[in-house]
Amino acid sequence: MKPEQLQSVRATLRSPRRLKTEALAGLVVALALIPEAIAFSVIAGVDPRIGLFASFTMAVTISFVGGRPAMISAATGAVALVIAPLMRSHGLDHLISAVILAGIFQILLAVLGVTRLMRFIPRSVMVGFVNALAILVFMAQLPELIGVPWPVYPLVAAGLLIVIGFRRITTAMPSPLVAIVLLTVLAVVAGIDVPTVQDKGQLPESLPTLFIPQVPLTWETFQTIAPFSLSMALVGLLESLMTSKLVDDITDTRSNKTRESWGQGVANIITGFLGGMGGCAVIGQTMINVKGSGARSRVSTFLAGVFLLVLVVTLGDIVGLIPMAALVAVMIFISAITFEWHSVAPATLKRMPKSETAVMLITVGTVVVTHNLAIGVGVGVLAAMAMFARRVAHFATVERTEVELNGRTAATYTVDGELFFASSNDLYTQFNYAGDAEPDIDKVVIDLHASHLWDASTIAVLDAVTEKYRRHGREVELIGLNSASTQMRERLAGKLNAAE
């Protein structure tokens, strides 16, 4: 850790009140991680212990090497979906090899500066990401509410009342933890027969050990696992960086995105060598930690991993008694407080530009349909770029006037606006070629002092305009170009083979 980060941890450890908040937050997160890690293991087609070990090692490792304090990393559904086909076709050793290689890819991407791409994600996509996250967290609870014994429903309702009500009474103890404990005691004492954590799968009874994947170190093996590793690296980084940015906004603090990127890589490498399925930032549990429990430091992330291992290895029988209804209530509450309700309020929709609302809805819709936050963000960014280009394309205007220059009549076209491929394509049609070819017009002046040339498409269009006027026997002069535009035109003019 850096000195300032170590100082922050020390300050937390020296404050009993702060330490209690971080410890209780870590405990709540650990309890919430258990059923999800088991469920993601099922998706990936591996033993539940593989997912639980991954959640432990990811959380503990990232608490030291990550760039965003209080963010939780563990086994995730997005990673499970990416690596599941490799598990089915080649088995566990190839899967673990892919996890290790994904970690290496993430470190390389961090070195190459991939985190700088975060600046190109607009606010509308970020809002869509958050809202889609809340919807996915809620949808993930629906299987626990379908085809279950009727006592599940009142238990979930009671859990929601406890989580919401206890927060209004006191924040001394996280209300999600209170709900989990009270509902577990109620279910056990009253003998209520409802699905529990132990119904999700067998919990491990020992610590993770060193795992060396038995695969041939050949080019063929690399070709087999590399596509899965690269997909896992990209999906994991995107989700982690988006979650990191979300936590930045919630806590009004900044994080080191480059460090978070290579930290995720280090965590996946270590996780692979300890027999875990890999992972990335897990958004729902991060919201429990930061927004639901008030955690702010690396201590909560570290303790979440430690508590997870202690709970499943030494207290597995007790943890197994927790009713799934309690965890469902907590996750429904988290989805509700995560959703940006302000973004869909009628007053906001009325004020917001329709294009930004459309981008937000496209992001949400894509994520919900694909169940993949990375794909949704990618589609949202592309939609934002397309709509921005469409909007800016209409900002370029052309105004025609006739003036006397040195005793000669000149048609002057004043171009106002940014000229790039989207706006300059219409530029060619905004000149009066036939009218300017009349005898009383001696010269055509194109005034670009209020414009800027951004790309080769614009240079090609200006070449086409100039050439067409010359075929009509008219002299064309371009004036008002700024230095950057002049340099681009001098470099490219007449060399692009522009067609009319």
PDB file of all heavy atoms in Angstrom, residues 233-263:
ATOM      1  N   ALA A 233     -11.016 -10.597 -19.297  1.00  0.00           N
ATOM      2  CA  ALA A 233     -10.248  -9.413 -18.888  1.00  0.00           C
ATOM      3  C   ALA A 233     -11.008  -8.136 -19.197  1.00  0.00           C
ATOM      4  O   ALA A 233     -11.096  -7.227 -18.356  1.00  0.00           O
ATOM      5  CB  ALA A 233      -8.895  -9.416 -19.587  1.00  0.00           C
ATOM      6  N   LEU A 234     -11.582  -8.044 -20.389  1.00  0.00           N
ATOM      7  CA  LEU A 234     -12.293  -6.829 -20.793  1.00  0.00           C
ATOM      8  C   LEU A 234     -13.575  -6.637 -19.997  1.00  0.00           C
ATOM      9  O   LEU A 234     -13.866  -5.540 -19.510  1.00  0.00           O
ATOM     10  CB  LEU A 234     -12.598  -6.888 -22.293  1.00  0.00           C
ATOM     11  CG  LEU A 234     -11.370  -6.819 -23.218  1.00  0.00           C
ATOM     12  CD1 LEU A 234     -11.785  -7.058 -24.659  1.00  0.00           C
ATOM     13  CD2 LEU A 234     -10.670  -5.477 -23.086  1.00  0.00           C
ATOM     14  N   VAL A 235     -14.361  -7.722 -19.876  1.00  0.00           N
ATOM     15  CA  VAL A 235     -15.614  -7.631 -19.118  1.00  0.00           C
ATOM     16  C   VAL A 235     -15.332  -7.283 -17.662  1.00  0.00           C
ATOM     17  O   VAL A 235     -15.977  -6.412 -17.065  1.00  0.00           O
ATOM     18  CB  VAL A 235     -16.403  -8.956 -19.215  1.00  0.00           C
ATOM     19  CG1 VAL A 235     -17.551  -8.979 -18.212  1.00  0.00           C
ATOM     20  CG2 VAL A 235     -16.934  -9.151 -20.627  1.00  0.00           C
ATOM     21  N   GLY A 236     -14.333  -7.959 -17.081  1.00  0.00           N
ATOM     22  CA  GLY A 236     -13.996  -7.706 -15.685  1.00  0.00           C
ATOM     23  C   GLY A 236     -13.513  -6.286 -15.445  1.00  0.00           C
ATOM     24  O   GLY A 236     -13.901  -5.642 -14.469  1.00  0.00           O
ATOM     25  N   LEU A 237     -12.668  -5.779 -16.352  1.00  0.00           N
ATOM     26  CA  LEU A 237     -12.178  -4.413 -16.191  1.00  0.00           C
ATOM     27  C   LEU A 237     -13.290  -3.387 -16.340  1.00  0.00           C
ATOM     28  O   LEU A 237     -13.372  -2.426 -15.570  1.00  0.00           O
ATOM     29  CB  LEU A 237     -11.074  -4.128 -17.207  1.00  0.00           C
ATOM     30  CG  LEU A 237      -9.664  -4.584 -16.858  1.00  0.00           C
ATOM     31  CD1 LEU A 237      -8.672  -4.077 -17.884  1.00  0.00           C
ATOM     32  CD2 LEU A 237      -9.262  -4.108 -15.470  1.00  0.00           C
ATOM     33  N   LEU A 238     -14.151  -3.588 -17.340  1.00  0.00           N
ATOM     34  CA  LEU A 238     -15.222  -2.626 -17.558  1.00  0.00           C
ATOM     35  C   LEU A 238     -16.147  -2.569 -16.353  1.00  0.00           C
ATOM     36  O   LEU A 238     -16.485  -1.480 -15.856  1.00  0.00           O
ATOM     37  CB  LEU A 238     -16.011  -2.987 -18.817  1.00  0.00           C
ATOM     38  CG  LEU A 238     -17.121  -2.016 -19.205  1.00  0.00           C
ATOM     39  CD1 LEU A 238     -16.573  -0.607 -19.371  1.00  0.00           C
ATOM     40  CD2 LEU A 238     -17.798  -2.458 -20.488  1.00  0.00           C
ATOM     41  N   GLU A 239     -16.563  -3.718 -15.847  1.00  0.00           N
ATOM     42  CA  GLU A 239     -17.449  -3.722 -14.683  1.00  0.00           C
ATOM     43  C   GLU A 239     -16.751  -3.124 -13.467  1.00  0.00           C
ATOM     44  O   GLU A 239     -17.357  -2.383 -12.684  1.00  0.00           O
ATOM     45  CB  GLU A 239     -17.925  -5.148 -14.396  1.00  0.00           C
ATOM     46  CG  GLU A 239     -18.875  -5.694 -15.433  1.00  0.00           C
ATOM     47  CD  GLU A 239     -19.859  -6.690 -14.857  1.00  0.00           C
ATOM     48  OE1 GLU A 239     -20.071  -6.692 -13.625  1.00  0.00           O
ATOM     49  OE2 GLU A 239     -20.426  -7.476 -15.634  1.00  0.00           O
ATOM     50  N   SER A 240     -15.467  -3.439 -13.296  1.00  0.00           N
ATOM     51  CA  SER A 240     -14.743  -2.929 -12.138  1.00  0.00           C
ATOM     52  C   SER A 240     -14.568  -1.423 -12.210  1.00  0.00           C
ATOM     53  O   SER A 240     -14.753  -0.709 -11.215  1.00  0.00           O
ATOM     54  CB  SER A 240     -13.373  -3.619 -12.039  1.00  0.00           C
ATOM     55  OG  SER A 240     -13.517  -5.012 -11.855  1.00  0.00           O
ATOM     56  N   LEU A 241     -14.213  -0.914 -13.381  1.00  0.00           N
ATOM     57  CA  LEU A 241     -13.997   0.530 -13.517  1.00  0.00           C
ATOM     58  C   LEU A 241     -15.302   1.307 -13.411  1.00  0.00           C
ATOM     59  O   LEU A 241     -15.339   2.400 -12.836  1.00  0.00           O
ATOM     60  CB  LEU A 241     -13.298   0.823 -14.841  1.00  0.00           C
ATOM     61  CG  LEU A 241     -11.863   0.294 -14.961  1.00  0.00           C
ATOM     62  CD1 LEU A 241     -11.292   0.557 -16.340  1.00  0.00           C
ATOM     63  CD2 LEU A 241     -10.964   0.913 -13.895  1.00  0.00           C
ATOM     64  N   MET A 242     -16.375   0.746 -13.964  1.00  0.00           N
ATOM     65  CA  MET A 242     -17.677   1.408 -13.835  1.00  0.00           C
ATOM     66  C   MET A 242     -18.132   1.427 -12.381  1.00  0.00           C
ATOM     67  O   MET A 242     -18.657   2.431 -11.885  1.00  0.00           O
ATOM     68  CB  MET A 242     -18.708   0.684 -14.706  1.00  0.00           C
ATOM     69  CG  MET A 242     -18.496   0.844 -16.202  1.00  0.00           C
ATOM     70  SD  MET A 242     -18.787   2.530 -16.791  1.00  0.00           S
ATOM     71  CE  MET A 242     -20.577   2.590 -16.729  1.00  0.00           C
ATOM     72  N   THR A 243     -17.926   0.306 -11.684  1.00  0.00           N
ATOM     73  CA  THR A 243     -18.303   0.243 -10.270  1.00  0.00           C
ATOM     74  C   THR A 243     -17.446   1.195  -9.449  1.00  0.00           C
ATOM     75  O   THR A 243     -17.938   1.874  -8.543  1.00  0.00           O
ATOM     76  CB  THR A 243     -18.143  -1.190  -9.740  1.00  0.00           C
ATOM     77  OG1 THR A 243     -18.899  -2.087 -10.554  1.00  0.00           O
ATOM     78  CG2 THR A 243     -18.633  -1.298  -8.304  1.00  0.00           C
ATOM     79  N   SER A 244     -16.157   1.268  -9.798  1.00  0.00           N
ATOM     80  CA  SER A 244     -15.260   2.189  -9.104  1.00  0.00           C
ATOM     81  C   SER A 244     -15.728   3.632  -9.269  1.00  0.00           C
ATOM     82  O   SER A 244     -15.735   4.414  -8.306  1.00  0.00           O
ATOM     83  CB  SER A 244     -13.841   2.019  -9.652  1.00  0.00           C
ATOM     84  OG  SER A 244     -12.966   2.953  -9.064  1.00  0.00           O
ATOM     85  N   LYS A 245     -16.124   3.981 -10.473  1.00  0.00           N
ATOM     86  CA  LYS A 245     -16.620   5.345 -10.722  1.00  0.00           C
ATOM     87  C   LYS A 245     -17.904   5.608  -9.943  1.00  0.00           C
ATOM     88  O   LYS A 245     -18.120   6.708  -9.415  1.00  0.00           O
ATOM     89  CB  LYS A 245     -16.859   5.536 -12.217  1.00  0.00           C
ATOM     90  CG  LYS A 245     -17.161   6.972 -12.632  1.00  0.00           C
ATOM     91  CD  LYS A 245     -17.216   7.089 -14.139  1.00  0.00           C
ATOM     92  CE  LYS A 245     -17.377   8.551 -14.588  1.00  0.00           C
ATOM     93  NZ  LYS A 245     -18.562   9.196 -14.082  1.00  0.00           N
ATOM     94  N   LEU A 246     -18.763   4.600  -9.852  1.00  0.00           N
ATOM     95  CA  LEU A 246     -20.000   4.738  -9.091  1.00  0.00           C
ATOM     96  C   LEU A 246     -19.708   4.985  -7.615  1.00  0.00           C
ATOM     97  O   LEU A 246     -20.320   5.853  -6.977  1.00  0.00           O
ATOM     98  CB  LEU A 246     -20.852   3.475  -9.268  1.00  0.00           C
ATOM     99  CG  LEU A 246     -22.176   3.408  -8.509  1.00  0.00           C
ATOM    100  CD1 LEU A 246     -23.087   4.553  -8.919  1.00  0.00           C
ATOM    101  CD2 LEU A 246     -22.864   2.072  -8.752  1.00  0.00           C
ATOM    102  N   VAL A 247     -18.760   4.241  -7.063  1.00  0.00           N
ATOM    103  CA  VAL A 247     -18.394   4.430  -5.655  1.00  0.00           C
ATOM    104  C   VAL A 247     -17.744   5.798  -5.456  1.00  0.00           C
ATOM    105  O   VAL A 247     -17.948   6.452  -4.429  1.00  0.00           O
ATOM    106  CB  VAL A 247     -17.461   3.299  -5.181  1.00  0.00           C
ATOM    107  CG1 VAL A 247     -17.020   3.527  -3.734  1.00  0.00           C
ATOM    108  CG2 VAL A 247     -18.155   1.943  -5.294  1.00  0.00           C
ATOM    109  N   ASP A 248     -16.957   6.236  -6.438  1.00  0.00           N
ATOM    110  CA  ASP A 248     -16.388   7.597  -6.358  1.00  0.00           C
ATOM    111  C   ASP A 248     -17.494   8.626  -6.170  1.00  0.00           C
ATOM    112  O   ASP A 248     -17.376   9.545  -5.349  1.00  0.00           O
ATOM    113  CB  ASP A 248     -15.618   7.915  -7.641  1.00  0.00           C
ATOM    114  CG  ASP A 248     -14.318   7.135  -7.761  1.00  0.00           C
ATOM    115  OD1 ASP A 248     -13.947   6.448  -6.795  1.00  0.00           O
ATOM    116  OD2 ASP A 248     -13.691   7.207  -8.835  1.00  0.00           O
ATOM    117  N   ASP A 249     -18.558   8.487  -6.965  1.00  0.00           N
ATOM    118  CA  ASP A 249     -19.658   9.452  -6.906  1.00  0.00           C
ATOM    119  C   ASP A 249     -20.383   9.382  -5.571  1.00  0.00           C
ATOM    120  O   ASP A 249     -20.784  10.413  -5.014  1.00  0.00           O
ATOM    121  CB  ASP A 249     -20.644   9.199  -8.057  1.00  0.00           C
ATOM    122  CG  ASP A 249     -20.028   9.478  -9.421  1.00  0.00           C
ATOM    123  OD1 ASP A 249     -19.027  10.207  -9.469  1.00  0.00           O
ATOM    124  OD2 ASP A 249     -20.540   8.951 -10.426  1.00  0.00           O
ATOM    125  N   ILE A 250     -20.588   8.167  -5.058  1.00  0.00           N
ATOM    126  CA  ILE A 250     -21.321   7.998  -3.800  1.00  0.00           C
ATOM    127  C   ILE A 250     -20.536   8.567  -2.620  1.00  0.00           C
ATOM    128  O   ILE A 250     -21.095   9.219  -1.725  1.00  0.00           O
ATOM    129  CB  ILE A 250     -21.638   6.510  -3.557  1.00  0.00           C
ATOM    130  CG1 ILE A 250     -22.641   6.004  -4.613  1.00  0.00           C
ATOM    131  CG2 ILE A 250     -22.202   6.285  -2.153  1.00  0.00           C
ATOM    132  CD1 ILE A 250     -22.862   4.510  -4.553  1.00  0.00           C
ATOM    133  N   THR A 251     -19.218   8.345  -2.619  1.00  0.00           N
ATOM    134  CA  THR A 251     -18.389   8.733  -1.472  1.00  0.00           C
ATOM    135  C   THR A 251     -17.727  10.093  -1.641  1.00  0.00           C
ATOM    136  O   THR A 251     -17.068  10.570  -0.713  1.00  0.00           O
ATOM    137  CB  THR A 251     -17.295   7.680  -1.243  1.00  0.00           C
ATOM    138  OG1 THR A 251     -16.465   7.596  -2.420  1.00  0.00           O
ATOM    139  CG2 THR A 251     -17.897   6.315  -0.966  1.00  0.00           C
ATOM    140  N   ASP A 252     -17.904  10.714  -2.836  1.00  0.00           N
ATOM    141  CA  ASP A 252     -17.261  12.000  -3.115  1.00  0.00           C
ATOM    142  C   ASP A 252     -15.748  11.926  -2.934  1.00  0.00           C
ATOM    143  O   ASP A 252     -15.111  12.846  -2.390  1.00  0.00           O
ATOM    144  CB  ASP A 252     -17.835  13.109  -2.216  1.00  0.00           C
ATOM    145  CG  ASP A 252     -19.276  13.432  -2.552  1.00  0.00           C
ATOM    146  OD1 ASP A 252     -19.626  13.388  -3.741  1.00  0.00           O
ATOM    147  OD2 ASP A 252     -20.052  13.716  -1.615  1.00  0.00           O
ATOM    148  N   THR A 253     -15.168  10.814  -3.364  1.00  0.00           N
ATOM    149  CA  THR A 253     -13.714  10.647  -3.326  1.00  0.00           C
ATOM    150  C   THR A 253     -13.243  10.148  -4.690  1.00  0.00           C
ATOM    151  O   THR A 253     -14.043   9.686  -5.504  1.00  0.00           O
ATOM    152  CB  THR A 253     -13.292   9.634  -2.240  1.00  0.00           C
ATOM    153  OG1 THR A 253     -13.951   8.375  -2.493  1.00  0.00           O
ATOM    154  CG2 THR A 253     -13.661  10.133  -0.858  1.00  0.00           C
ATOM    155  N   ARG A 254     -11.951  10.231  -4.906  1.00  0.00           N
ATOM    156  CA  ARG A 254     -11.377   9.762  -6.162  1.00  0.00           C
ATOM    157  C   ARG A 254     -10.626   8.461  -5.939  1.00  0.00           C
ATOM    158  O   ARG A 254     -10.099   8.209  -4.852  1.00  0.00           O
ATOM    159  CB  ARG A 254     -10.429  10.818  -6.746  1.00  0.00           C
ATOM    160  CG  ARG A 254     -11.119  12.108  -7.120  1.00  0.00           C
ATOM    161  CD  ARG A 254     -10.124  13.097  -7.708  1.00  0.00           C
ATOM    162  NE  ARG A 254      -9.550  12.580  -8.944  1.00  0.00           N
ATOM    163  CZ  ARG A 254      -8.593  13.210  -9.623  1.00  0.00           C
ATOM    164  NH1 ARG A 254      -8.096  14.357  -9.178  1.00  0.00           N
ATOM    165  NH2 ARG A 254      -8.122  12.697 -10.743  1.00  0.00           N
ATOM    166  N   SER A 255     -10.572   7.649  -6.986  1.00  0.00           N
ATOM    167  CA  SER A 255      -9.838   6.386  -6.903  1.00  0.00           C
ATOM    168  C   SER A 255      -8.813   6.331  -8.023  1.00  0.00           C
ATOM    169  O   SER A 255      -8.909   7.057  -9.012  1.00  0.00           O
ATOM    170  CB  SER A 255     -10.800   5.197  -7.004  1.00  0.00           C
ATOM    171  OG  SER A 255     -11.516   5.232  -8.225  1.00  0.00           O
ATOM    172  N   ASN A 256      -7.857   5.443  -7.867  1.00  0.00           N
ATOM    173  CA  ASN A 256      -6.805   5.257  -8.864  1.00  0.00           C
ATOM    174  C   ASN A 256      -7.235   4.149  -9.822  1.00  0.00           C
ATOM    175  O   ASN A 256      -7.124   2.967  -9.519  1.00  0.00           O
ATOM    176  CB  ASN A 256      -5.492   4.881  -8.169  1.00  0.00           C
ATOM    177  CG  ASN A 256      -4.312   4.874  -9.121  1.00  0.00           C
ATOM    178  OD1 ASN A 256      -4.453   4.559 -10.303  1.00  0.00           O
ATOM    179  ND2 ASN A 256      -3.143   5.202  -8.608  1.00  0.00           N
ATOM    180  N   LYS A 257      -7.760   4.555 -10.987  1.00  0.00           N
ATOM    181  CA  LYS A 257      -8.313   3.576 -11.931  1.00  0.00           C
ATOM    182  C   LYS A 257      -7.228   2.680 -12.534  1.00  0.00           C
ATOM    183  O   LYS A 257      -7.467   1.498 -12.775  1.00  0.00           O
ATOM    184  CB  LYS A 257      -9.061   4.303 -13.062  1.00  0.00           C
ATOM    185  CG  LYS A 257     -10.178   5.232 -12.592  1.00  0.00           C
ATOM    186  CD  LYS A 257     -11.262   4.482 -11.882  1.00  0.00           C
ATOM    187  CE  LYS A 257     -12.489   5.363 -11.616  1.00  0.00           C
ATOM    188  NZ  LYS A 257     -12.216   6.545 -10.796  1.00  0.00           N
ATOM    189  N   THR A 258      -6.045   3.234 -12.765  1.00  0.00           N
ATOM    190  CA  THR A 258      -4.961   2.406 -13.301  1.00  0.00           C
ATOM    191  C   THR A 258      -4.553   1.342 -12.297  1.00  0.00           C
ATOM    192  O   THR A 258      -4.371   0.170 -12.647  1.00  0.00           O
ATOM    193  CB  THR A 258      -3.742   3.279 -13.657  1.00  0.00           C
ATOM    194  OG1 THR A 258      -4.117   4.227 -14.655  1.00  0.00           O
ATOM    195  CG2 THR A 258      -2.602   2.422 -14.178  1.00  0.00           C
ATOM    196  N   ARG A 259      -4.437   1.731 -11.048  1.00  0.00           N
ATOM    197  CA  ARG A 259      -4.095   0.756 -10.019  1.00  0.00           C
ATOM    198  C   ARG A 259      -5.198  -0.288  -9.885  1.00  0.00           C
ATOM    199  O   ARG A 259      -4.919  -1.471  -9.698  1.00  0.00           O
ATOM    200  CB  ARG A 259      -3.870   1.451  -8.678  1.00  0.00           C
ATOM    201  CG  ARG A 259      -3.616   0.464  -7.562  1.00  0.00           C
ATOM    202  CD  ARG A 259      -3.170   1.102  -6.281  1.00  0.00           C
ATOM    203  NE  ARG A 259      -3.043   0.098  -5.234  1.00  0.00           N
ATOM    204  CZ  ARG A 259      -2.481   0.312  -4.056  1.00  0.00           C
ATOM    205  NH1 ARG A 259      -1.978   1.493  -3.787  1.00  0.00           N
ATOM    206  NH2 ARG A 259      -2.425  -0.650  -3.158  1.00  0.00           N
ATOM    207  N   GLU A 260      -6.444   0.138  -9.982  1.00  0.00           N
ATOM    208  CA  GLU A 260      -7.540  -0.824  -9.891  1.00  0.00           C
ATOM    209  C   GLU A 260      -7.466  -1.834 -11.031  1.00  0.00           C
ATOM    210  O   GLU A 260      -7.750  -3.023 -10.836  1.00  0.00           O
ATOM    211  CB  GLU A 260      -8.885  -0.089  -9.934  1.00  0.00           C
ATOM    212  CG  GLU A 260     -10.094  -0.984  -9.741  1.00  0.00           C
ATOM    213  CD  GLU A 260     -10.083  -1.690  -8.395  1.00  0.00           C
ATOM    214  OE1 GLU A 260      -9.717  -1.066  -7.380  1.00  0.00           O
ATOM    215  OE2 GLU A 260     -10.427  -2.899  -8.368  1.00  0.00           O
ATOM    216  N   SER A 261      -7.057  -1.381 -12.205  1.00  0.00           N
ATOM    217  CA  SER A 261      -6.980  -2.273 -13.365  1.00  0.00           C
ATOM    218  C   SER A 261      -5.925  -3.354 -13.160  1.00  0.00           C
ATOM    219  O   SER A 261      -6.207  -4.544 -13.326  1.00  0.00           O
ATOM    220  CB  SER A 261      -6.668  -1.469 -14.631  1.00  0.00           C
ATOM    221  OG  SER A 261      -7.701  -0.557 -14.912  1.00  0.00           O
ATOM    222  N   TRP A 262      -4.682  -2.933 -12.811  1.00  0.00           N
ATOM    223  CA  TRP A 262      -3.680  -3.982 -12.625  1.00  0.00           C
ATOM    224  C   TRP A 262      -3.917  -4.758 -11.331  1.00  0.00           C
ATOM    225  O   TRP A 262      -3.540  -5.932 -11.225  1.00  0.00           O
ATOM    226  CB  TRP A 262      -2.258  -3.438 -12.723  1.00  0.00           C
ATOM    227  CG  TRP A 262      -1.769  -2.488 -11.674  1.00  0.00           C
ATOM    228  CD1 TRP A 262      -1.606  -1.150 -11.788  1.00  0.00           C
ATOM    229  CD2 TRP A 262      -1.323  -2.815 -10.339  1.00  0.00           C
ATOM    230  NE1 TRP A 262      -1.106  -0.612 -10.620  1.00  0.00           N
ATOM    231  CE2 TRP A 262      -0.910  -1.607  -9.728  1.00  0.00           C
ATOM    232  CE3 TRP A 262      -1.225  -3.996  -9.618  1.00  0.00           C
ATOM    233  CZ2 TRP A 262      -0.424  -1.554  -8.418  1.00  0.00           C
ATOM    234  CZ3 TRP A 262      -0.735  -3.947  -8.308  1.00  0.00           C
ATOM    235  CH2 TRP A 262      -0.353  -2.739  -7.728  1.00  0.00           C
ATOM    236  N   GLY A 263      -4.584  -4.119 -10.363  1.00  0.00           N
ATOM    237  CA  GLY A 263      -4.941  -4.844  -9.139  1.00  0.00           C
ATOM    238  C   GLY A 263      -5.905  -5.989  -9.414  1.00  0.00           C
ATOM    239  O   GLY A 263      -5.787  -7.075  -8.839  1.00  0.00           O
TER     240      GLY A 263
END
